[in-house]
Structure formats: C-alpha cells, structure tokens
Amino acid sequence: MNDEDQQERVDVAAPALPGDSPDTPPAGQLHDGHHPPTGTLSADRLAMKALEARLLGGERKLRRREVAAGAGLSLLSARKLWRALGFPNFGDEDVAFTERDQAALSTVVDLVRSGKLTEEAAISVTRSIGQMTDRMVVWQIEALVEDMVHEQGVTDAVARKRLVNELPALVDALEEVLVYSWRRQLNAGVQRLAVRAEAGLQASEEGREGDEDDAPLPLARAVGFADLVSYTSLSRRMNEKTLARLVQRFENKCAEIISVGGGRLVKTVGDEVLYIAETPAAGAEISLALAQAFTEDEILPEARVAMVWGRILSRLGDIYGPTVNLAARLTTLADPGTVLVDDMTASALEHDERFVLAPQPPENVRGFGEIRPVRLSRGLGKGLVLD
C-alpha cells in the first residue's frame, strides 16, 4: 500500500449545504422566499462557491499532476510541499487546484532553483507558514462566530452558517493586517535572533564554568512559565461558554503583559503559558507582573510563576533545552501568587534594586538533583505599566 492509500481520501468539493441535492429537502429558502428548484444551487451554496473562488483565486480546474508539471516539478516533490502546508491528500482525478496554486508552488520552487533556499529549508519554511496560518484561521473563525452569537443573539450553528456571507467584507482587511504584522514580526525576529544574539550569549557568561548542560545551545534567554492554580477543578465546574471566556481572558492577559515587557509568548497549553525575554531583568519584570495580575484578577485564579536565565535552542517556533525544563520544574514548586528563580538567575539579578531575592530551602528536582530556589519579589520602582 502506498502512502496515498494510507491517508483518508477527502472530498475536494466544498461541504454540502442544505438545498444542494434535489433528494434532500432544503433547511432554508432563497431570498425570494421560495425553495430552490430541483437541480439548482441554494443561496448558501452559491455564497460558499463565490467565497471559495475569491479565496482560492478562481475556480478549481486543475488536477495535481497538472499543477506539478506546470511548476516543473515531479508529483513527489509537489506533494512534499503541499503536505508541509498541511493540505489533504488529493487523488489523481480530483480537480482540486487553481492557477494560484500553481503560481505559489512555482514561487517556492524558484527559491530552491536560484539557490536562495535548500530543499530542506524550503520545506521547513513552508511548514511554518502552513502550521501558523492554520492555527490563525481557526482562531479567527471561532472569534467571529462567538461575536455573532453574542451580538446577534443567534445559535452557534446559525452563526457558523452566516459567517460565509459576512466574511467577504472582511477578507481584504484581514489580509492587509496579516502581511503588515508578518513584516513587523520578521523585523523584530531578525533583531532578536540575529543582530542581538551574540550580545545575549556574552551577557550569559557571568557565573558560568562553561561545562553546563546548556552550554552548547546558541541563544541566551530568560525562560518563564505561568501556571494557573486549580484550573482543572475549576474547568470541571464550568459550562463551555464560561470555560472559553476564562481561557480567553487568561491568554489575553498573558499576551498583553509579555508584549509590554518586551518578551515573546512562545505558546499556551491549557492553563499554562511559556514565554521568553532577552535579559534576566526583562524576564523578571514580566514574571512579577504576571503573578500580580492573576492575584488581583477578580475572575482568574492565582498563578504559580517561575523564570530561569540560561541558554536554549529555538526550532519550529518552540524552544528546547535544560533551561526550559528547569523553569517548568520550578513552576510546580512555587506557591500561588509567587515567582521562583534558580540561584544562577538570582546571581544575575542580585545587584538590581528593582528586585528582592529570598533564598528558599533546597529542593530535589527530577533531572536536576538538588537545586536552590530563590523567591523573586518587587523591589524599587513600579514594574511594568500597562496602559
């Protein structure tokens, strides 16, 4: 069995909507108040086809072999790129592509043929686009549906159906903001990950012997975790809508504080957020602000927070290494509403009057042996100021 047969075949046409089939009574009516006659498309289906043509750049007319040949690629190479983008597995006879698909494929191929990217780098970069845009689209659709449910007083099912008619007015604006944000983020990423990377490594040399587990890793970062207390028990007592609002409030508050502090939110996983900053002081400010924000919040529970200054590996939009693992372990040791750091991070902060450091009893931590946690508290100054 080849790899195509192992994957579930997907219907390349848009999902069936009420009124598409003359054998299925339509759930709604056309704008003139009549059911669509047999053999014609419903208003919902017409709206979906129009939206699809706009988003895909035209009607689906091409099969996968035609697109690959048009880009001068073997089908195997084309499929590698499509899978990197997260596309389903289309068959030879599926009319699934447009001319824009061929143009996009040619763009990536030209980068490899001109020597600007290796094939491996092209696939990795393409995968980053596919994964990030997939998450972004799901987030945006759910946000729009939730807004319609709240503002228009309709059910979730009705809102999802109406979305097809409301999206065309938003597409151009969303695309413009997407490109704008990507350019800004790319500029900031170049500064963080290229221009200032060497300075960060030099700053992290103090207090090190050179034989630490993270010594070979290329980036110096303050790595922090914030973990909501009693989230599991709370979530069991909440209905779907209340839980969704709690999670959204948690993520929004974290994103705002981390952004204002000059850090980067790496990811959220349920009740936990992982973030990084370029200096130990910036990481400390963010960590204290997070602990304070959740302590003062009237809806969210308190959070346990920990931060470690060390070296990391950054790949696939995530971060790895002993520094990340130690920060995660320290989080479980922190009391609700407090921030813990390790002794090396404390040494990097000890001469900064903005912070107060209180050594805690030694702890045996899985994978690290005995460590000496240090409680981090606010010293002089106001800390992060949120507008």
Side-chain angles (χ1 to χ4, degrees):
M1 179 181 292
N2 60 34
D3 55 357
E4 291 180 18
D5 294 328
Q6 293 172 4
Q7 297 194 22
E8 180 181 355
R9 287 294 299 276
V10 179
D11 182 4
V12 300
L17 295 171
D20 282 355
S21 170
D23 299 322
T24 304
Q29 295 179 328
L30 295 178
H31 297 301
D32 61 3
H34 298 288
H35 292 278
T38 301
T40 65
L41 297 180
S42 69
D44 291 329
R45 180 65 171 157
L46 287 171
M48 185 63 241
K49 287 182 68 68
L51 177 61
E52 178 178 277
R54 180 175 176 183
L55 293 175
L56 300 188
E59 187 179 349
R60 300 177 191 248
K61 296 180 178 179
L62 302 174
R63 295 174 174 82
R64 63 181 192 174
R65 290 188 181 278
E66 295 170 330
V67 176
L73 273 182
S74 68
L75 181 57
L76 176 62
S77 295
R79 283 165 52 206
K80 285 182 180 179
L81 290 171
W82 288 328
R83 288 179 181 175
L85 284 168
F87 291 177
N89 188 56
F90 297 115
D92 281 337
E93 299 307 314
D94 293 329
V95 182
F97 298 95
T98 71
E99 292 180 356
R100 184 175 291 177
D101 290 302
Q102 183 172 308
L105 194 62
S106 297
T107 297
V108 179
V109 172
D110 290 345
L111 289 173
V112 176
R113 288 176 176 163
S114 65
K116 295 175 182 176
L117 291 177
T118 64
E119 181 179 346
E120 182 178 1
I123 291 175
S124 183
V125 169
T126 302
R127 183 171 289 114
S128 75
I129 295 171
Q131 291 185 3
M132 294 302 104
T133 52
D134 172 71
R135 183 172 188 267
M136 179 189 67
V137 164
V138 171
W139 187 335
Q140 291 175 345
I141 289 175
E142 296 299 343
L144 293 170
V145 167
E146 183 180 7
D147 186 65
M148 282 191 285
V149 169
H150 183 265
E151 294 297 322
Q152 300 177 18
V154 297
T155 66
D156 184 89
V158 170
R160 291 178 188 278
K161 194 172 178 181
R162 286 187 182 178
L163 183 66
V164 174
N165 292 301
E166 299 204 7
L167 264 180
L170 301 173
V171 169
D172 290 341
L174 292 177
E175 183 176 22
E176 183 176 340
V177 175
L178 169 63
V179 174
Y180 160 76
S181 177
W182 175 79
R183 288 181 176 272
R184 293 285 301 189
Q185 295 287 5
L186 184 58
N187 178 68
V190 169
Q191 298 294 324
R192 282 195 316 269
L193 300 173
V195 176
R196 297 195 295 266
E198 186 175 357
L201 285 176
Q202 291 173 352
S204 71
E205 291 290 346
E206 187 174 348
R208 286 175 165 266
E209 301 295 331
D211 58 353
E212 292 82 6
D213 290 342
D214 65 348
L217 301 182
L219 292 174
R221 290 291 185 270
V223 177
F225 280 92
D227 183 15
L228 288 180
V229 177
S230 303
Y231 171 82
T232 302
S233 59
L234 278 173
S235 63
R236 288 173 180 168
R237 301 196 301 267
M238 293 178 178
N239 60 37
E240 180 181 348
K241 183 176 293 186
T242 304
L243 178 59
R245 289 177 178 172
L246 183 143
V247 171
Q248 186 171 338
R249 186 181 182 92
F250 170 63
E251 291 194 1
N252 289 347
K253 192 174 287 286
C254 287
E256 181 182 14
I257 291 171
I258 293 166
S259 176
V260 169
R264 182 173 79 86
L265 195 161
V266 178
K267 62 182 177 182
T268 56
V269 182
D271 60 341
E272 190 173 64
V273 62
L274 169 61
Y275 56 95
I276 57 175
E278 290 189 55
T279 66
E285 290 284 17
I286 292 170
S287 300
L288 289 170
L290 286 170
Q292 180 180 350
F294 295 121
T295 298
E296 297 175 351
D297 193 281
E298 297 177 354
I299 298 175
L300 294 169
E302 290 183 300
R304 296 183 177 91
V305 185
M307 189 270 292
V308 175
W309 169 244
R311 296 183 180 181
I312 63 169
L313 177 68
S314 176
R315 289 292 186 275
L316 307 176
D318 207 341
I319 58 173
Y320 306 89
T323 299
V324 183
N325 298 334
L326 179 56
R329 301 284 192 272
L330 281 176
T331 306
T332 65
L333 300 178
D335 292 327
T338 67
V339 180
L340 286 184
V341 299
D342 67 322
D343 54 353
M344 186 172 293
T345 304
S347 297
L349 297 169
E350 63 182 347
H351 299 301
D352 195 322
E353 295 182 343
R354 292 173 294 176
F355 311 113
V356 174
L357 299 155
Q360 306 295 297
E363 296 271 3
N364 282 311
V365 175
R366 180 168 55 89
F368 293 92
E370 185 178 89
I371 64 169
R372 297 175 177 81
V374 179
R375 182 167 175 171
L376 175 69
S377 303
R378 170 66 52 205
L380 300 178
K382 297 181 180 179
L384 294 184
V385 178
L386 304 180
D387 295 334

